[in-house]
Amino acid sequence: MSTAKIILIVVFGISLCHGVPDTPDIQRLIHVLEDSAAISPPDPRVLISLRLAKPFITHVEKNLLKLLKAEAFKNGASFSSGMASLYVLAMTSCCVEPARVPVNGTDLDLLSLLRTKLEKEMSSIVQYGRPVTSYYQVSLSMLGLCESEQPISQTYVNILIEAVKKNEFWIDTTAVTALALRCLELRSYKPIQPIKDTLTRLTADLYSARDEWGDSENIYSAGLAMQALIANDNHSWDSAGLRRNISAAIGNGKFNIPIAAAQMLPALLDKPYLDVMYVDCPVASGQQEAVVSELDTIHVVYEVFQPEICHRIELTVEVGATILDVMELAQTNNTQYFKFEKTRTVWGWMITAIGGTEAKSAQHTYWEFLVGNKPITEGVSSFHVQDGDDITARLAPY
């Protein structure tokens, strides 16, 4: 029998809780994003969407945040204006002050980087009549600065508004521009009327094109279009037919692309990118490391009953940890006794083997989990343990 006391600094989780809608479509998008979190280079859109979906920073998000910090430190100078803005929003979503991102013993100023990138875009528009990259990235840049409560030149706003008048934007560009201008409207930017008038035009364009972006062939644009309309309090586009198309596209794997999933998930949650500025930070901005390190911990016991043998381990985990968190930590400490296998379903993880012992349908056995003497009534990735809990996994008949 082996025992250990280990502190789990962060929480790992894959299912939604605390009142967030938990549907198979949302679960599938969450799975896509979490599976992509370790891909290099990391994508800030993945972190933004996961943070909008969850009430606390989990193990997956913390690791992704670390990768994003390293990528920004290494390659930030080569970011496009839009990518710099997404990094700013990703840091903000994790309560990290984007002007002082702690990495490699220094503070990285992503806001200054973003301002410099936007200045180059605007200079190119004035001089050559077009941005360095695209109006999509120009609008995204302004969204990042606005959500960070940074001043934006009236000249820049006027340039963007004029561009809307003179150009026929693609759906994605229309949507991001509507998000940026809606942010300025919410910030009571003055003069406000030109912004309101432009928003009226943009949302009308998005609404009139709903058959286009809601069609299964063009469904990739639906996420941003829906976000923009939701942010502007326009829900008249919503319909059972559109929802069916989206659900079918998710089921057919069209949103297995992380970028597409990252744009659609906030829309299905009714929480557009604009909601990043409303993320609840438990401590002052710039103290994200303290958010992680000062979390309270609890003590639990985890036991695995196999035929004629029992293995027990005592663990210290963070408040809010799930049974799956406990199992992951026990496995890390002792793979011989606590290594487990799992399979993913649309409802979360199903445990198929522990300590080399498999649950077999031919023998009508399954892995049952109890807390105290009571079987749990939800999945191991959803059940949050309490201080002093005795968690038991046992091979049981059915």
Side-chain angles (χ1 to χ4, degrees):
M1 181 172 63
S2 172
T3 62
K5 285 189 178 290
I6 305 172
I7 295 180
L8 180 63
I9 297 300
V10 292
V11 178
F12 173 79
I14 64 163
S15 63
L16 299 174
C17 54
H18 297 278
V20 179
D22 188 3
T23 69
D25 287 342
I26 288 174
Q27 280 287 303
R28 185 157 184 167
L29 294 179
I30 287 283
H31 296 160
V32 169
L33 295 177
E34 290 187 329
D35 286 347
S36 74
I39 294 176
S40 182
D43 194 320
R45 284 164 289 202
V46 172
L47 181 56
I48 293 167
S49 294
L50 288 174
R51 287 297 299 122
L52 288 173
K54 300 181 180 182
F56 48 77
I57 300 175
T58 71
H59 177 67
V60 173
E61 285 96 69
K62 183 173 184 287
N63 284 342
L64 182 51
L65 176 63
K66 184 185 298 184
L67 293 174
L68 289 170
K69 287 180 179 180
E71 180 69 15
F73 182 81
K74 180 180 179 182
N75 297 313
S78 64
F79 286 171
S80 66
S81 59
M83 186 57 68
S85 181
L86 289 169
Y87 268 75
V88 165
L89 292 174
M91 295 301 129
T92 303
S93 74
C94 290
C95 304
V96 177
E97 171 54 56
R100 296 190 298 275
V101 178
V103 56
N104 292 351
T106 187
D107 286 340
L108 184 64
D109 188 350
L110 289 177
L111 282 179
S112 290
L113 174 67
L114 177 55
R115 280 193 293 267
T116 299
K117 297 289 183 179
L118 181 57
E119 287 170 4
K120 291 180 179 179
E121 299 277 18
M122 291 299 179
S123 294
S124 179
I125 294 171
V126 171
Q127 187 171 358
Y128 302 110
R130 62 183 183 277
V132 174
T133 56
S134 66
Y135 281 108
Y136 174 93
Q137 300 211 39
V138 169
S139 296
L140 194 53
S141 300
M142 294 178 67
L143 176 62
L145 289 174
C146 177
E147 292 207 46
S148 300
E149 300 186 69
Q150 297 298 300
I152 298 177
S153 162
Q154 184 177 334
T155 299
Y156 289 0
V157 176
N158 290 341
I159 287 174
L160 182 58
I161 289 174
E162 285 302 310
V164 173
K165 295 177 181 178
K166 295 178 181 179
N167 296 276
E168 186 174 339
F169 285 170
W170 294 101
I171 290 172
D172 287 0
T173 304
T174 300
V176 173
T177 304
L179 284 169
L181 293 181
R182 175 59 171 165
C183 181
L184 291 174
E185 182 183 32
L186 292 173
R187 296 287 190 199
S188 299
Y189 189 92
K190 299 189 185 317
I192 195 66
Q193 196 56 49
I195 291 175
K196 287 181 176 291
D197 293 342
T198 308
L199 279 173
T200 298
R201 171 175 174 170
L202 291 170
T203 54
D205 288 347
L206 288 172
Y207 179 74
S208 64
R210 66 192 182 282
D211 289 340
E212 178 183 346
W213 53 258
D215 181 77
S216 59
E217 297 301 318
N218 301 298
I219 204 72
Y220 295 118
S221 294
L224 285 177
M226 291 163 63
Q227 285 194 52
L229 291 169
I230 290 168
N232 282 278
D233 297 324
N234 185 329
H235 293 267
S236 58
W237 53 271
D238 204 350
S239 69
L242 174 59
R243 295 286 181 173
R244 282 195 299 270
N245 285 346
I246 292 170
S247 184
I250 293 173
N252 292 333
K254 285 194 172 184
F255 286 91
N256 288 349
I257 303 168
I259 294 175
Q263 292 176 348
M264 178 54 70
L265 179 60
L268 292 185
L269 294 171
D270 213 32
K271 297 175 70 174
Y273 285 173
L274 205 59
D275 281 21
V276 167
M277 62 184 177
Y278 302 125
V279 169
D280 184 26
C281 294
V283 296
S285 183
Q287 299 181 23
Q288 188 271 341
E289 301 302 328
V291 175
V292 176
S293 63
E294 293 178 2
L295 291 170
D296 292 335
T297 57
I298 58 177
H299 305 282
V300 299
V301 174
Y302 174 49
E303 299 175 323
V304 176
F305 280 87
Q306 296 177 330
E308 301 180 0
I309 192 170
C310 171
H311 298 291
R312 181 177 185 272
I313 186 170
E314 297 178 14
L315 299 167
T316 302
V317 298
E318 178 195 325
V319 170
T322 65
I323 289 178
L324 184 60
D325 298 324
V326 173
M327 296 177 69
E328 293 275 4
L329 187 56
Q331 177 178 251
T332 299
N333 180 69
N334 190 314
T335 56
Q336 179 181 357
Y337 297 147
F338 299 108
K339 182 178 180 180
F340 66 94
E341 297 176 13
K342 59 188 186 297
T343 185
R344 178 173 282 160
T345 73
V346 294
W347 303 110
W349 290 113
M350 180 174 69
I351 305 303
T352 57
I354 304 178
T357 301
E358 296 182 13
K360 296 181 178 180
S361 58
Q363 298 176 1
H364 298 283
T365 58
Y366 75 106
W367 279 102
E368 181 183 38
F369 288 84
L370 303 91
V371 173
N373 296 319
K374 297 181 179 180
I376 64 173
T377 57
E378 53 189 304
V380 293
S381 60
S382 302
F383 189 99
H384 295 269
V385 298
Q386 304 295 320
D387 190 40
D389 275 351
D390 288 327
I391 304 150
T392 301
R394 68 183 183 188
L395 196 65
Y398 66 89

